[in-house]
Coordinates of all heavy atoms in Angstrom, one line a residue:
M14 N 7.2 -15.4 0.5 CA 7.9 -16.2 1.5 C 8.7 -15.4 2.5 O 8.8 -15.7 3.6 CB 8.8 -17.2 0.7 CG 9.4 -18.2 1.6 SD 8.1 -19.3 2.2 CE 9.1 -20.5 3.0
A15 N 9.2 -14.2 2.0 CA 10.0 -13.4 2.9 C 9.2 -12.8 4.0 O 9.7 -12.7 5.1 CB 10.6 -12.2 2.1
W16 N 7.9 -12.6 3.8 CA 7.1 -12.1 4.9 C 6.8 -13.2 5.9 O 6.8 -12.8 7.1 CB 5.7 -11.6 4.3 CG 6.0 -10.3 3.5 CD1 6.0 -10.2 2.2 CD2 6.2 -9.0 4.0 NE1 6.2 -8.9 1.8 CE2 6.4 -8.1 2.9 CE3 6.3 -8.5 5.3 CZ2 6.7 -6.8 3.1 CZ3 6.6 -7.1 5.5 CH2 6.8 -6.3 4.4
I17 N 6.6 -14.4 5.5 CA 6.5 -15.5 6.5 C 7.7 -15.6 7.3 O 7.7 -15.8 8.5 CB 6.1 -16.8 5.7 CG1 4.7 -16.6 5.1 CG2 6.1 -18.0 6.7 CD1 4.3 -17.7 4.2
I18 N 8.9 -15.6 6.6 CA 10.2 -15.7 7.3 C 10.3 -14.5 8.3 O 10.8 -14.7 9.5 CB 11.3 -15.7 6.3 CG1 11.3 -17.0 5.5 CG2 12.7 -15.6 7.0 CD1 12.3 -17.0 4.3
L19 N 9.9 -13.3 7.9 CA 10.0 -12.1 8.8 C 9.1 -12.3 10.1 O 9.5 -12.0 11.2 CB 9.6 -10.9 8.1 CG 9.7 -9.6 8.9 CD1 11.1 -9.3 9.4 CD2 9.3 -8.4 8.0
I20 N 7.9 -12.8 9.9 CA 7.0 -13.1 11.0 C 7.6 -14.1 11.9 O 7.6 -14.0 13.1 CB 5.6 -13.5 10.5 CG1 4.9 -12.3 9.8 CG2 4.8 -14.0 11.6 CD1 3.7 -12.7 9.0
A21 N 8.2 -15.2 11.3 CA 8.9 -16.2 12.1 C 10.0 -15.6 12.9 O 10.3 -16.0 14.1 CB 9.3 -17.4 11.3
A22 N 10.8 -14.7 12.3 CA 11.9 -14.0 13.0 C 11.4 -13.2 14.2 O 11.9 -13.2 15.3 CB 12.6 -13.1 12.0
G23 N 10.2 -12.5 14.0 CA 9.7 -11.7 15.1 C 9.2 -12.6 16.2 O 9.4 -12.3 17.4
L24 N 8.5 -13.7 15.9 CA 8.1 -14.6 16.9 C 9.2 -15.3 17.6 O 9.2 -15.5 18.8 CB 7.1 -15.7 16.3 CG 5.8 -15.1 15.7 CD1 5.1 -16.3 15.0 CD2 5.0 -14.5 16.8
S25 N 10.3 -15.6 16.9 CA 11.5 -16.1 17.6 C 12.1 -15.1 18.6 O 12.6 -15.5 19.6 CB 12.6 -16.5 16.5 OG 12.1 -17.5 15.7
E26 N 12.0 -13.8 18.2 CA 12.4 -12.8 19.2 C 11.6 -12.8 20.4 O 12.1 -12.7 21.6 CB 12.4 -11.4 18.5 CG 13.0 -10.3 19.4 CD 12.9 -9.0 18.8 OE1 12.3 -8.8 17.7 OE2 13.4 -8.0 19.4
V27 N 10.3 -13.0 20.3 CA 9.4 -13.1 21.5 C 9.8 -14.3 22.3 O 9.9 -14.2 23.6 CB 7.9 -13.2 21.0 CG1 7.0 -13.4 22.2 CG2 7.5 -11.9 20.3
V28 N 10.1 -15.5 21.7 CA 10.5 -16.6 22.4 C 11.9 -16.3 23.2 O 12.0 -16.7 24.3 CB 10.7 -17.9 21.5 CG1 11.4 -19.0 22.2 CG2 9.4 -18.3 20.9
M29 N 12.8 -15.6 22.5 CA 14.0 -15.3 23.1 C 13.8 -14.5 24.4 O 14.4 -14.8 25.4 CB 14.9 -14.5 22.1 CG 16.2 -14.0 22.7 SD 17.1 -12.8 21.7 CE 16.1 -11.3 22.0
V30 N 13.1 -13.4 24.3 CA 12.9 -12.6 25.5 C 12.1 -13.3 26.6 O 12.3 -13.1 27.8 CB 12.3 -11.2 25.2 CG1 13.3 -10.4 24.3 CG2 11.0 -11.2 24.6
T31 N 11.2 -14.1 26.2 CA 10.4 -14.9 27.2 C 11.3 -15.8 28.0 O 11.3 -15.9 29.2 CB 9.3 -15.7 26.5 OG1 8.4 -14.8 25.8 CG2 8.5 -16.5 27.5
F32 N 12.2 -16.5 27.3 CA 13.1 -17.4 28.0 C 14.2 -16.7 28.7 O 14.8 -17.2 29.6 CB 13.6 -18.5 27.0 CG 12.6 -19.6 26.9 CD1 11.6 -19.6 26.0 CD2 12.6 -20.7 27.8 CE1 10.6 -20.6 25.9 CE2 11.6 -21.7 27.7 CZ 10.6 -21.6 26.7
M33 N 14.5 -15.5 28.2 CA 15.5 -14.6 28.9 C 14.9 -14.3 30.3 O 15.6 -14.4 31.3 CB 15.7 -13.3 28.1 CG 16.8 -12.5 28.7 SD 17.0 -10.9 27.8 CE 17.4 -11.5 26.1
K34 N 13.7 -14.0 30.4 CA 13.0 -13.7 31.6 C 13.0 -15.0 32.5 O 13.3 -14.9 33.7 CB 11.6 -13.3 31.4 CG 10.7 -13.2 32.6 CD 10.9 -12.0 33.4 CE 9.9 -11.8 34.5 NZ 10.3 -10.8 35.4
L35 N 12.7 -16.1 31.9 CA 12.7 -17.4 32.7 C 14.1 -17.9 33.1 O 14.2 -18.7 34.0 CB 12.0 -18.5 31.8 CG 10.5 -18.3 31.5 CD1 10.0 -19.3 30.5 CD2 9.7 -18.3 32.8
S36 N 15.1 -17.4 32.4 CA 16.5 -17.8 32.8 C 17.0 -17.2 34.1 O 18.1 -17.6 34.5 CB 17.4 -17.5 31.6 OG 17.7 -16.1 31.6
D37 N 16.3 -16.3 34.7 CA 16.7 -15.7 35.9 C 18.1 -15.1 35.8 O 19.0 -15.4 36.5 CB 16.6 -16.7 37.1 CG 16.8 -16.1 38.4 OD1 16.4 -14.9 38.6 OD2 17.4 -16.7 39.3
G38 N 18.2 -14.2 34.8 CA 19.5 -13.5 34.6 C 20.6 -14.5 34.0 O 21.8 -14.3 34.3
Y39 N 20.2 -15.4 33.2 CA 21.0 -16.4 32.6 C 21.7 -17.3 33.7 O 22.8 -17.8 33.5 CB 22.0 -15.8 31.6 CG 21.4 -15.3 30.4 CD1 21.3 -14.0 30.1 CD2 20.8 -16.2 29.5 CE1 20.7 -13.5 28.9 CE2 20.1 -15.8 28.3 CZ 20.1 -14.4 28.1 OH 19.5 -14.0 26.9
K40 N 21.0 -17.5 34.8 CA 21.5 -18.4 35.8 C 21.0 -19.8 35.6 O 21.5 -20.8 36.2 CB 21.1 -17.9 37.2 CG 21.8 -16.6 37.6 CD 21.2 -16.1 38.9 CE 21.6 -14.6 39.1 NZ 20.7 -14.0 40.1
K41 N 19.9 -20.0 34.9 CA 19.3 -21.3 34.7 C 19.6 -21.8 33.3 O 19.4 -21.1 32.3 CB 17.7 -21.3 34.9 CG 17.3 -20.9 36.3 CD 15.8 -20.8 36.4 CE 15.4 -20.5 37.8 NZ 13.9 -20.3 37.8
M42 N 20.2 -23.0 33.2 CA 20.8 -23.4 32.0 C 19.8 -23.6 30.8 O 20.0 -23.1 29.7 CB 21.5 -24.8 32.2 CG 22.2 -25.3 31.0 SD 23.5 -24.4 30.4 CE 24.8 -24.9 31.5
F43 N 18.7 -24.4 31.1 CA 17.8 -24.7 30.0 C 17.1 -23.5 29.4 O 17.1 -23.3 28.2 CB 16.7 -25.7 30.5 CG 15.8 -26.2 29.4 CD1 16.2 -27.0 28.4 CD2 14.5 -25.8 29.5 CE1 15.3 -27.4 27.4 CE2 13.6 -26.2 28.5 CZ 14.0 -27.0 27.5
P44 N 16.5 -22.6 30.2 CA 15.9 -21.4 29.6 C 17.0 -20.5 28.9 O 16.7 -19.9 27.9 CB 15.3 -20.7 30.8 CG 15.1 -21.7 31.8 CD 16.2 -22.7 31.6
S45 N 18.2 -20.5 29.4 CA 19.3 -19.7 28.8 C 19.6 -20.2 27.4 O 19.7 -19.5 26.5 CB 20.5 -19.8 29.7 OG 20.3 -19.2 30.9
L46 N 19.7 -21.6 27.3 CA 20.0 -22.2 26.0 C 18.9 -21.9 25.0 O 19.2 -21.6 23.8 CB 20.2 -23.7 26.1 CG 21.5 -24.1 26.9 CD1 21.5 -25.6 27.1 CD2 22.7 -23.6 26.2
I47 N 17.7 -22.0 25.4 CA 16.5 -21.7 24.5 C 16.6 -20.2 24.1 O 16.4 -19.9 22.9 CB 15.2 -22.1 25.2 CG1 15.1 -23.6 25.3 CG2 14.0 -21.6 24.3 CD1 13.9 -24.1 26.0
S48 N 16.9 -19.3 25.0 CA 17.0 -17.9 24.7 C 18.0 -17.6 23.7 O 17.8 -16.9 22.7 CB 17.2 -17.1 26.0 OG 17.3 -15.7 25.7
F49 N 19.2 -18.2 23.9 CA 20.3 -18.0 22.9 C 20.0 -18.6 21.6 O 20.2 -18.0 20.5 CB 21.6 -18.7 23.4 CG 22.3 -17.9 24.5 CD1 22.7 -18.5 25.7 CD2 22.5 -16.5 24.4 CE1 23.3 -17.9 26.7 CE2 23.1 -15.8 25.4 CZ 23.5 -16.5 26.6
A50 N 19.4 -19.8 21.5 CA 19.0 -20.4 20.3 C 17.9 -19.6 19.5 O 18.0 -19.4 18.3 CB 18.6 -21.9 20.5
A51 N 16.9 -19.2 20.3 CA 15.9 -18.4 19.7 C 16.4 -17.1 19.1 O 16.0 -16.6 18.1 CB 14.7 -18.2 20.7
G52 N 17.3 -16.4 19.9 CA 17.9 -15.2 19.4 C 18.7 -15.4 18.1 O 18.6 -14.6 17.2
A53 N 19.5 -16.4 18.1 CA 20.3 -16.7 16.9 C 19.3 -17.0 15.7 O 19.6 -16.5 14.6 CB 21.2 -17.9 17.1
L54 N 18.3 -17.8 15.9 CA 17.3 -18.1 14.9 C 16.6 -16.8 14.4 O 16.5 -16.6 13.2 CB 16.3 -19.1 15.4 CG 15.2 -19.5 14.4 CD1 15.8 -20.1 13.2 CD2 14.2 -20.4 15.1
S55 N 16.3 -15.9 15.4 CA 15.6 -14.7 15.0 C 16.5 -13.8 14.1 O 16.0 -13.3 13.1 CB 15.3 -13.9 16.3 OG 14.6 -12.7 16.0
F56 N 17.7 -13.7 14.5 CA 18.6 -12.9 13.6 C 18.9 -13.5 12.3 O 18.9 -12.8 11.2 CB 20.0 -12.6 14.3 CG 20.0 -11.5 15.3 CD1 19.9 -11.8 16.7 CD2 20.0 -10.2 14.9 CE1 19.9 -10.7 17.6 CE2 20.0 -9.2 15.8 CZ 19.9 -9.4 17.2
Y57 N 19.0 -14.8 12.2 CA 19.2 -15.5 11.0 C 18.0 -15.3 10.0 O 18.1 -15.0 8.9 CB 19.5 -17.0 11.2 CG 19.6 -17.8 9.9 CD1 20.7 -17.6 9.0 CD2 18.6 -18.7 9.6 CE1 20.7 -18.3 7.8 CE2 18.7 -19.4 8.4 CZ 19.7 -19.2 7.5 OH 19.8 -19.9 6.3
L58 N 16.8 -15.5 10.6 CA 15.6 -15.4 9.8 C 15.4 -13.9 9.3 O 15.0 -13.7 8.2 CB 14.4 -15.9 10.6 CG 14.3 -17.4 10.9 CD1 13.1 -17.7 11.8 CD2 14.2 -18.2 9.6
L59 N 15.7 -13.0 10.2 CA 15.6 -11.6 9.8 C 16.6 -11.3 8.6 O 16.2 -10.7 7.7 CB 16.0 -10.7 11.0 CG 16.1 -9.2 10.7 CD1 14.7 -8.6 10.2 CD2 16.6 -8.4 11.8
S60 N 17.8 -11.8 8.7 CA 18.7 -11.6 7.6 C 18.2 -12.2 6.3 O 18.4 -11.6 5.2 CB 20.1 -12.2 8.0 OG 20.1 -13.6 7.9
L61 N 17.6 -13.4 6.4 CA 17.0 -14.0 5.2 C 15.9 -13.1 4.6 O 15.8 -12.9 3.4 CB 16.5 -15.4 5.4 CG 17.5 -16.5 5.7 CD1 16.8 -17.8 6.0 CD2 18.5 -16.6 4.6
S62 N 15.0 -12.6 5.5 CA 13.9 -11.8 5.0 C 14.3 -10.5 4.4 O 13.7 -10.0 3.4 CB 12.9 -11.6 6.1 OG 13.4 -10.7 7.1
L63 N 15.4 -10.0 4.8 CA 15.9 -8.7 4.3 C 16.5 -8.8 2.9 O 16.9 -7.8 2.3 CB 16.9 -8.1 5.3 CG 16.4 -7.6 6.6 CD1 17.5 -7.0 7.5 CD2 15.2 -6.7 6.5
L64 N 16.6 -10.1 2.4 CA 17.1 -10.2 1.0 C 16.0 -9.7 0.1 O 16.3 -9.3 -1.0 CB 17.4 -11.7 0.7 CG 18.6 -12.3 1.5 CD1 18.6 -13.8 1.3 CD2 19.9 -11.6 1.1
D65 N 14.7 -9.8 0.5 CA 13.6 -9.4 -0.4 C 12.8 -8.2 0.2 O 12.0 -7.6 -0.6 CB 12.7 -10.5 -0.6 CG 13.3 -11.7 -1.4 OD1 14.0 -11.4 -2.3 OD2 13.0 -12.8 -1.1
I66 N 12.9 -7.9 1.4 CA 12.2 -6.8 2.0 C 13.1 -5.7 2.4 O 14.2 -5.9 2.9 CB 11.5 -7.3 3.3 CG1 10.5 -8.4 3.0 CG2 10.8 -6.2 4.1 CD1 9.9 -9.1 4.2
P67 N 12.7 -4.4 2.1 CA 13.6 -3.3 2.5 C 13.9 -3.3 3.9 O 13.1 -3.6 4.8 CB 12.7 -2.0 2.1 CG 11.7 -2.5 1.2 CD 11.5 -4.0 1.5
V68 N 15.2 -2.9 4.3 CA 15.6 -3.0 5.7 C 14.8 -2.2 6.6 O 14.5 -2.6 7.7 CB 17.2 -2.7 5.8 CG1 17.4 -1.2 5.5 CG2 17.7 -3.1 7.1
S69 N 14.4 -1.0 6.2 CA 13.6 -0.1 7.0 C 12.3 -0.8 7.4 O 11.8 -0.7 8.5 CB 13.4 1.2 6.4 OG 12.7 1.1 5.1
T70 N 11.6 -1.4 6.4 CA 10.4 -2.1 6.7 C 10.6 -3.3 7.5 O 9.9 -3.6 8.5 CB 9.7 -2.4 5.3 OG1 9.5 -1.2 4.6 CG2 8.3 -3.1 5.6
G71 N 11.5 -4.1 7.1 CA 11.8 -5.4 7.8 C 12.2 -5.2 9.2 O 11.6 -5.9 10.1
Y72 N 13.1 -4.3 9.5 CA 13.5 -4.1 10.8 C 12.4 -3.5 11.7 O 12.2 -3.9 12.8 CB 14.8 -3.2 10.9 CG 15.3 -3.0 12.2 CD1 16.0 -4.1 12.8 CD2 15.2 -1.9 12.9 CE1 16.6 -3.9 14.1 CE2 15.7 -1.7 14.2 CZ 16.4 -2.7 14.8 OH 16.9 -2.6 16.1
G73 N 11.7 -2.6 11.1 CA 10.6 -2.0 11.9 C 9.5 -3.1 12.3 O 9.0 -3.1 13.4
I74 N 9.2 -3.9 11.3 CA 8.2 -5.0 11.6 C 8.7 -6.0 12.6 O 8.1 -6.4 13.5 CB 7.7 -5.6 10.3 CG1 6.9 -4.6 9.5 CG2 6.9 -6.9 10.6 CD1 6.5 -5.1 8.1
W75 N 10.0 -6.4 12.4 CA 10.7 -7.3 13.3 C 10.7 -6.8 14.8 O 10.3 -7.5 15.7 CB 12.1 -7.6 12.8 CG 12.9 -8.5 13.7 CD1 12.7 -9.9 13.8 CD2 14.1 -8.2 14.4 NE1 13.7 -10.4 14.6 CE2 14.6 -9.3 15.0 CE3 14.7 -7.0 14.6 CZ2 15.7 -9.3 15.8 CZ3 15.9 -7.0 15.4 CH2 16.3 -8.2 16.0
T76 N 11.1 -5.6 15.0 CA 11.1 -5.0 16.3 C 9.7 -4.8 16.9 O 9.5 -5.0 18.1 CB 11.9 -3.7 16.4 OG1 11.3 -2.7 15.5 CG2 13.3 -3.9 16.1
G77 N 8.7 -4.5 16.0 CA 7.4 -4.3 16.4 C 6.8 -5.6 16.9 O 6.1 -5.6 18.0
I78 N 7.0 -6.7 16.2 CA 6.5 -8.0 16.6 C 7.1 -8.4 17.9 O 6.4 -8.8 18.8 CB 6.8 -9.1 15.5 CG1 5.9 -8.8 14.3 CG2 6.5 -10.5 16.1 CD1 6.3 -9.7 13.1
G79 N 8.4 -8.1 18.0 CA 9.1 -8.5 19.3 C 8.6 -7.6 20.5 O 8.4 -8.2 21.5
S80 N 8.4 -6.4 20.2 CA 8.0 -5.5 21.3 C 6.6 -5.8 21.8 O 6.3 -6.0 22.9 CB 8.1 -4.0 20.9 OG 9.4 -3.7 20.6
A81 N 5.7 -5.8 20.8 CA 4.3 -6.1 21.1 C 4.1 -7.5 21.7 O 3.4 -7.7 22.7 CB 3.4 -6.0 19.9
G82 N 4.8 -8.5 21.2 CA 4.8 -9.8 21.7 C 5.3 -9.9 23.1 O 4.7 -10.6 23.9
A83 N 6.4 -9.3 23.4 CA 7.0 -9.3 24.7 C 6.0 -8.7 25.7 O 5.8 -9.2 26.8 CB 8.3 -8.6 24.7
V84 N 5.4 -7.6 25.4 CA 4.5 -6.9 26.3 C 3.2 -7.8 26.5 O 2.8 -8.0 27.7 CB 4.0 -5.6 25.8 CG1 2.9 -5.0 26.6 CG2 5.2 -4.6 25.8
L85 N 2.7 -8.4 25.5 CA 1.6 -9.3 25.6 C 1.9 -10.5 26.5 O 1.1 -10.9 27.3 CB 1.0 -9.7 24.2 CG 0.4 -8.6 23.4 CD1 0.1 -9.1 22.0 CD2 -0.8 -8.0 24.1
I86 N 3.1 -11.1 26.2 CA 3.5 -12.3 27.0 C 3.6 -11.9 28.5 O 3.2 -12.6 29.4 CB 4.8 -12.9 26.5 CG1 4.6 -13.5 25.1 CG2 5.4 -13.9 27.5 CD1 3.8 -14.8 25.1
G87 N 4.2 -10.7 28.7 CA 4.4 -10.2 30.1 C 3.0 -10.0 30.8 O 2.9 -10.4 32.0
M88 N 2.1 -9.5 30.1 CA 0.8 -9.3 30.7 C 0.0 -10.6 30.9 O -0.6 -10.8 31.9 CB -0.1 -8.3 29.8 CG 0.4 -6.9 29.8 SD -0.7 -5.7 29.1 CE -1.0 -6.3 27.5
L89 N 0.2 -11.5 30.0 CA -0.6 -12.8 30.1 C 0.1 -13.8 31.1 O -0.7 -14.5 31.8 CB -0.7 -13.4 28.7 CG -1.6 -12.7 27.7 CD1 -1.5 -13.4 26.3 CD2 -3.0 -12.7 28.1
F90 N 1.4 -13.9 31.1 CA 2.0 -14.9 31.8 C 2.9 -14.5 33.0 O 3.2 -15.3 33.9 CB 2.9 -15.8 30.9 CG 2.1 -16.5 29.8 CD1 2.1 -16.0 28.5 CD2 1.3 -17.6 30.1 CE1 1.4 -16.7 27.5 CE2 0.6 -18.2 29.2 CZ 0.6 -17.8 27.9
F91 N 3.3 -13.2 33.0 CA 4.2 -12.7 34.1 C 3.5 -11.7 35.0 O 4.2 -11.0 35.7 CB 5.5 -12.2 33.5 CG 6.3 -13.2 32.8 CD1 6.5 -13.2 31.4 CD2 6.8 -14.3 33.5 CE1 7.3 -14.1 30.8 CE2 7.5 -15.3 32.8 CZ 7.8 -15.2 31.4
K92 N 2.2 -11.6 34.9 CA 1.4 -10.8 35.8 C 1.8 -9.3 35.7 O 1.8 -8.6 36.7 CB 1.5 -11.3 37.3 CG 0.9 -12.7 37.4 CD 1.0 -13.2 38.8 CE 0.5 -14.6 38.8 NZ 0.9 -15.3 40.0
E93 N 2.3 -8.9 34.6 CA 2.6 -7.4 34.4 C 1.3 -6.7 34.2 O 0.2 -7.2 33.9 CB 3.5 -7.3 33.2 CG 4.8 -7.9 33.4 CD 5.8 -7.7 32.2 OE1 5.4 -7.0 31.2 OE2 6.8 -8.3 32.2
E94 N 1.3 -5.4 34.6 CA 0.1 -4.6 34.6 C -0.6 -4.6 33.3 O 0.0 -4.4 32.2 CB 0.5 -3.2 35.0 CG -0.6 -2.2 35.2 CD -0.2 -0.9 35.7 OE1 1.0 -0.6 35.9 OE2 -1.1 0.0 35.9
K95 N -2.0 -4.7 33.4 CA -2.8 -4.6 32.3 C -3.7 -3.4 32.5 O -4.6 -3.4 33.4 CB -3.7 -5.8 32.1 CG -3.0 -7.1 31.9 CD -4.0 -8.3 31.9 CE -3.3 -9.5 32.2 NZ -4.0 -10.6 32.8
N96 N -3.5 -2.3 31.8 CA -4.3 -1.2 31.9 C -4.6 -0.6 30.5 O -3.9 -0.9 29.5 CB -3.7 -0.1 32.8 CG -2.4 0.4 32.3 OD1 -2.3 0.8 31.2 ND2 -1.4 0.5 33.2
P97 N -5.7 0.2 30.4 CA -6.1 0.7 29.1 C -4.9 1.5 28.3 O -4.9 1.4 27.1 CB -7.2 1.6 29.4 CG -7.8 1.1 30.7 CD -6.6 0.6 31.4
V98 N -4.1 2.2 29.1 CA -3.0 2.9 28.4 C -2.0 2.0 27.8 O -1.6 2.2 26.6 CB -2.4 3.9 29.4 CG1 -1.2 4.6 28.8 CG2 -3.4 4.9 30.0
R99 N -1.6 0.9 28.5 CA -0.7 0.0 27.9 C -1.3 -0.7 26.7 O -0.6 -0.9 25.6 CB -0.3 -1.1 28.9 CG 0.7 -0.6 29.9 CD 0.9 -1.7 31.0 NE 1.6 -2.9 30.4 CZ 2.9 -3.2 30.6 NH1 3.6 -2.4 31.3 NH2 3.4 -4.3 30.1
I100 N -2.5 -1.1 26.8 CA -3.2 -1.8 25.7 C -3.4 -0.8 24.5 O -3.2 -1.2 23.3 CB -4.6 -2.3 26.1 CG1 -4.3 -3.5 27.1 CG2 -5.4 -2.8 25.0 CD1 -5.5 -3.9 27.9
F101 N -3.6 0.4 24.7 CA -3.7 1.4 23.7 C -2.4 1.5 22.9 O -2.3 1.5 21.7 CB -4.1 2.8 24.3 CG -4.0 3.9 23.3 CD1 -4.9 4.1 22.2 CD2 -2.9 4.8 23.3 CE1 -4.8 5.1 21.3 CE2 -2.8 5.9 22.4 CZ -3.7 6.0 21.4
F102 N -1.3 1.6 23.6 CA 0.0 1.8 23.0 C 0.5 0.5 22.3 O 1.1 0.6 21.2 CB 1.1 2.3 24.0 CG 0.9 3.8 24.3 CD1 0.6 4.2 25.5 CD2 1.1 4.7 23.3 CE1 0.4 5.5 25.8 CE2 0.9 6.1 23.5 CZ 0.6 6.5 24.8
I103 N 0.1 -0.6 22.8 CA 0.4 -1.9 22.1 C -0.4 -1.9 20.8 O 0.1 -2.4 19.8 CB 0.1 -3.1 23.0 CG1 1.1 -3.2 24.1 CG2 0.1 -4.4 22.2 CD1 2.5 -3.4 23.6
S104 N -1.6 -1.4 20.9 CA -2.5 -1.4 19.7 C -1.8 -0.5 18.6 O -1.9 -0.8 17.4 CB -3.9 -0.8 20.0 OG -4.5 -1.7 20.9
L105 N -1.2 0.6 19.0 CA -0.5 1.5 18.1 C 0.7 0.8 17.4 O 0.9 1.0 16.2 CB 0.0 2.8 18.8 CG -1.1 3.8 19.2 CD1 -0.4 4.9 19.9 CD2 -1.9 4.2 18.1
I106 N 1.4 0.0 18.2 CA 2.5 -0.8 17.6 C 1.9 -1.8 16.5 O 2.5 -1.9 15.4 CB 3.3 -1.6 18.6 CG1 4.1 -0.6 19.5 CG2 4.3 -2.5 18.0 CD1 4.7 -1.2 20.7
I107 N 0.9 -2.5 16.9 CA 0.3 -3.4 15.9 C -0.2 -2.7 14.7 O 0.0 -3.2 13.6 CB -0.8 -4.3 16.6 CG1 -0.2 -5.1 17.7 CG2 -1.6 -5.1 15.6 CD1 -1.1 -5.8 18.7
I108 N -0.9 -1.6 14.9 CA -1.4 -0.8 13.7 C -0.2 -0.4 12.9 O -0.3 -0.4 11.6 CB -2.2 0.4 14.2 CG1 -3.5 -0.1 14.8 CG2 -2.5 1.4 13.1 CD1 -4.3 0.9 15.6
S109 N 0.9 0.0 13.5 CA 2.1 0.4 12.7 C 2.7 -0.7 11.9 O 3.1 -0.5 10.8 CB 3.1 1.0 13.7 OG 2.6 2.1 14.4
I110 N 2.7 -1.9 12.5 CA 3.2 -3.1 11.8 C 2.3 -3.3 10.6 O 2.9 -3.5 9.5 CB 3.2 -4.3 12.7 CG1 4.2 -4.2 13.8 CG2 3.4 -5.6 11.9 CD1 4.1 -5.2 14.9
I111 N 1.0 -3.3 10.7 CA 0.1 -3.4 9.6 C 0.3 -2.4 8.5 O 0.4 -2.6 7.3 CB -1.4 -3.5 10.1 CG1 -1.6 -4.7 10.9 CG2 -2.3 -3.4 8.9 CD1 -2.9 -4.7 11.7
G112 N 0.5 -1.1 9.0 CA 0.8 0.0 8.1 C 2.1 -0.2 7.3 O 2.1 0.0 6.1
L113 N 3.1 -0.6 8.0 CA 4.4 -0.8 7.2 C 4.2 -1.9 6.2 O 4.8 -1.9 5.1 CB 5.5 -1.2 8.2 CG 6.1 0.0 9.0 CD1 7.0 -0.5 10.1 CD2 6.8 1.0 8.1
K114 N 3.5 -3.0 6.6 CA 3.3 -4.1 5.6 C 2.5 -3.6 4.4 O 2.9 -4.0 3.3 CB 2.6 -5.3 6.3 CG 2.0 -6.3 5.4 CD 3.1 -7.1 4.7 CE 2.5 -8.3 3.9 NZ 2.3 -8.0 2.5
T115 N 1.5 -2.8 4.6 CA 0.7 -2.4 3.5 C 1.3 -1.5 2.5 O 1.0 -1.4 1.3 CB -0.7 -1.8 3.9 OG1 -0.4 -0.7 4.8 CG2 -1.5 -2.9 4.7
V116 N 2.3 -0.7 3.0 CA 3.0 0.3 2.1 C 4.2 -0.3 1.4 O 4.8 0.3 0.6 CB 3.3 1.6 2.8 CG1 2.1 2.3 3.3 CG2 4.3 1.4 3.9
S117 N 4.5 -1.5 1.8 CA 5.7 -2.2 1.2 C 5.3 -3.1 0.1 O 4.3 -3.7 0.0 CB 6.5 -3.0 2.2 OG 7.1 -2.1 3.1

């Protein structure tokens, strides 16, 4: 169950940064509120998952999901550059997440 909670925490982080972008520097109320709520949820879920998962593994996976997810959302929805080098490095983050999960 801790792993599911950790994945949910990482996805909440992706929601947080997506709505942070949509908030226009926290000038728009609705996206700002979603960003704050998703951030709080992300930290709470991370704290729950760390009750059973080592902090080094949990934090690494949480930040990896957030980083990879934010880059993918940026490329898919915010017209950020899609090139082989970016995709290669995102692949490395995803491979690292899988590696951390398998050794824990």
